[in-house]
Amino acid sequence: MTTTPTGTAEDASTLLDVRALRKVYSGKGRGVEAVSDLTFTVAAGELVCIVGPSGAGKTTLLRCVAGLLDCTSGEVVLEGRQVTGPPAGMAMVFQEYGRSLFPWMTVRQNVERPLKEKKVPKAERRRLVREALEAVGLAEVHDAHPWQLSGGMQQRVAIARAVAYQPHILLMDEPFAAVDAQTRADLEDLVRALWKRLGVTVLFVTHDIDESVYLGQRVIVLSNSPTVVLEEVRIDLPDERDQLTTRSGPRFAELRAHVYELIQQAKQGHRPAG
Ligand code: ADP
Ligand code: MG
């Protein structure tokens, strides 16, 4: 574990605590302030979406949360421990599925690899891989190589790999931005189904307002860069969601319009007070 204990008391249900996170990329001259000041928490078992325009610093934020990037100031606390490197209880699904799977390994080997690194015994590994591939609907193609699969199927492999690892929190960075609309809808429903079935905590980043409202229990709305939290919107839609009914309801329209307005206002220079 590359985390250290912190002394701060926090809500027992808090899994992830992001405190005054700031990230400035150093470069020639003054550098780029990608993230200005982000504070939020995620409770155990929650499905939280983060939405913000392209360039808002969403990937920067997730890389800091995942311990892949040092923040300039502020801190990230996972399960009561400050994150200073990739924590054991975390898995991440990236946007670029093409680059996240090993082309020379089969689907099964790709999913199994992090479990080997985690030193999970062989029989247990086999079971976890089989269950994860079944859960994402890919049990039949375990011997295929990633390049033999469609983009949507490759992203399912990446999701299976993350799920098999049994993370406490699953980070997803615009995972469906590169697939077609129908596949994307199916994958969104897969994320909701896995979240419900496995009880895993999910932090899902997207630039797509509709996607954030459809998926989340809560949506954290980010401004354009330098980035701050504009508002946390509770999504009071029924827990049972489906692409047709949920998206065509009046409450869905209200929520998406609200998030849209927040982001538009921020682009025109309005920022939250305080
Ligand atoms: P998003 O994921 O929301 O599109 P990013 O986190 O990728 O946003 O980028 C936020 C800002 O930080 C952008 O202005 C981007 O150009 C800048 N940025 C991202 N990565 C780097 C880097 N490695 N070095 C310098 N600037 C970067
Ligand atoms: Mg990004």
Side-chain angles (χ1 to χ4, degrees):
M1 285 276 281
T2 44
T3 53
T4 50
T6 71
T8 319
E10 43 180 23
D11 188 329
S13 70
T14 300
L15 188 80
L16 176 71
D17 195 350
V18 176
R19 300 173 186 160
L21 184 76
R22 177 163 185 261
K23 176 65 187 179
V24 180
Y25 288 107
S26 54
K28 295 191 198 96
R30 292 185 299 120
V32 179
E33 185 179 34
V35 173
S36 176
D37 181 4
L38 290 182
T39 296
F40 62 89
T41 61
V42 178
E46 253 193 313
L47 198 177
V48 175
C49 291
I50 293 190
V51 69
S54 288
K58 302 183 296 298
T59 296
T60 302
L61 163 68
L62 271 199
R63 293 180 71 85
C64 289
V65 168
L68 298 169
L69 193 63
D70 289 334
C71 46
T72 306
S73 59
E75 62 177 350
V76 176
V77 178
L78 178 72
E79 299 178 302
R81 290 172 157 259
Q82 188 179 8
V83 172
T84 53
M90 203 176 255
M92 190 151 168
V93 175
F94 300 91
Q95 176 175 345
E96 296 139 326
Y97 50 77
R99 295 208 319 228
S100 82
L101 301 174
F102 293 111
W104 63 89
M105 289 184 182
T106 63
V107 164
R108 186 175 48 72
Q109 288 167 338
N110 266 286
V111 176
E112 191 176 18
R113 196 189 128 104
L115 302 180
K116 278 187 172 169
E117 281 169 20
K118 204 180 173 184
K119 309 250 187 295
V120 177
K122 192 169 176 180
E124 171 84 350
R125 263 184 355 235
R126 285 278 148 86
R127 182 181 65 78
L128 288 168
V129 172
R130 192 181 61 244
E131 287 175 4
L133 286 173
E134 277 168 12
V136 301
L138 287 184
E140 303 301 310
V141 300
H142 63 95
D143 275 335
H145 285 81
W147 43 268
Q148 297 173 298
L149 307 176
S150 69
M153 286 165 95
Q154 290 182 45
Q155 201 52 306
R156 279 175 195 264
V157 177
I159 294 170
R161 181 177 57 187
V163 162
Y165 189 74
Q166 298 183 294
H168 299 170
I169 185 164
L170 176 57
L171 307 179
M172 305 184 89
D173 187 7
E174 307 216 38
F176 312 142
V179 299
D180 64 88
Q182 179 59 56
T183 303
R184 181 175 192 152
D186 292 344
L187 290 170
E188 286 167 1
D189 289 337
L190 175 65
V191 167
R192 292 259 327 163
L194 289 173
W195 166 68
K196 280 193 186 175
R197 205 170 109 189
L198 305 174
V200 62
T201 309
V202 180
L203 185 59
F204 189 104
V205 162
T206 179
H207 67 264
D208 184 317
I209 294 170
D210 289 51
E211 182 169 74
S212 71
V213 173
Y214 181 70
L215 283 179
Q217 294 180 295
R218 189 153 59 90
V219 173
I220 298 173
V221 186
L222 302 186
S223 69
N224 47 325
S225 199
T227 311
V228 296
V229 175
L230 295 173
E231 195 175 304
E232 294 193 12
V233 182
R234 178 142 301 279
I235 305 300
D236 52 2
L237 295 169
D239 201 33
E240 284 302 322
R241 298 187 190 173
D242 85 80
Q243 295 284 351
L244 271 183
T245 331
T246 306
R247 285 179 187 267
S248 56
R251 187 60 186 147
F252 184 87
E254 277 171 22
L255 287 163
R256 77 172 295 285
H258 179 63
V259 173
Y260 182 84
E261 275 167 18
L262 286 170
I263 291 175
Q264 285 306 109
Q265 282 167 9
K267 278 185 180 167
Q268 284 151 24
H270 299 277
R271 299 267 156 158

